[in-house]
Amino acid sequence: KANLTIYTQNASKIYGDTDPEFTFSADGLKIGDSITDLDRSNAGTNVGSYEIDLYTLNDGNNGNNYNVTLHTGKLTITPKDITVTADAVTQVYGDPEKALTYQTNGLIADDTLSGSLERASGKTVGEYAIMQGTLANSNYNIHFTGADYTITKRDLTITAGDILGHTYG
């Protein structure tokens, strides 16, 4: 058997994209033989690093003409950028607090975010910032746009009772 050393090259992609075409270099490959179908045995799709460690050796003998040494490269999956925009909320003073909601742009398929938004504390009339809080997903870089949680004045009606009279002196 001939000695063959395969060096798979590092590659990267953004979460949700298809794998790039993997490349390699080889020392000892004989003329007419080829290497195809570079892939990875751990085809994880989440952010992280995965070894590029699968290949097909086309030598007319199912790869049996070579003693192969494989130096694996890594496929690095990086987070995808998305936007999250908080919805503005208005509440009347004294009413129950309302839920904090948001809109997303860029989430893939059935992906969701975990955690929740937060708002600056306060229960009196005023505006309070809505912040990202613990909202996250490790496959995404979240670009957050906040909004305000506004507490408005409560209408109050005061009705005077009957006028009481009294005698002077």
Side-chain angles (χ1 to χ4, degrees):
K1 291 186 177 185
N3 290 324
L4 174 63
T5 304
I6 302 171
Y7 302 90
T8 59
Q9 306 302 312
N10 292 332
S12 65
K13 73 172 192 171
I14 296 172
Y15 171 75
D17 290 352
T18 58
D19 282 356
E21 186 174 323
F22 300 124
T23 58
F24 69 95
S25 62
D27 291 333
L29 190 63
K30 304 302 179 195
I31 295 175
D33 293 345
S34 64
I35 298 171
T36 58
D37 303 324
L38 286 174
D39 209 343
R40 50 198 176 106
S41 60
N42 183 347
T45 58
N46 292 320
V47 168
S49 290
Y50 304 91
E51 287 189 350
I52 304 167
D53 57 359
L54 295 177
Y55 62 91
T56 300
L57 181 54
N58 303 305
D59 67 349
N61 192 19
N62 297 318
N64 290 319
N65 291 329
Y66 292 95
N67 291 315
V68 177
T69 302
L70 178 63
H71 295 273
T72 60
K74 299 270 186 200
L75 171 66
T76 302
I77 301 175
T78 59
K80 176 180 172 57
D81 289 337
I82 63 167
T83 58
V84 173
T85 304
D87 297 324
V89 177
T90 301
Q91 170 197 327
V92 175
Y93 175 76
D95 284 354
E97 192 160 318
K98 293 187 177 181
L100 302 178
T101 58
Y102 57 89
Q103 307 301 314
T104 62
N105 185 7
L107 279 178
I108 295 173
D110 295 327
D111 284 357
T112 60
L113 302 176
S114 62
S116 59
L117 298 176
E118 294 177 357
R119 77 169 181 90
S121 63
K123 302 230 180 254
T124 60
V125 171
E127 291 185 346
Y128 302 92
I130 299 173
M131 301 161 286
Q132 183 173 339
T134 60
L135 202 60
N137 180 317
S138 61
N139 288 320
Y140 295 97
N141 287 322
I142 296 175
H143 299 280
F144 183 77
T145 302
D148 288 327
Y149 189 103
T150 304
I151 300 176
T152 60
K153 292 181 179 182
R154 181 172 211 82
D155 289 337
L156 180 63
T157 303
I158 299 174
T159 305
D162 292 334
I163 298 177
L164 299 175
H166 71 308
T167 306
Y168 179 77

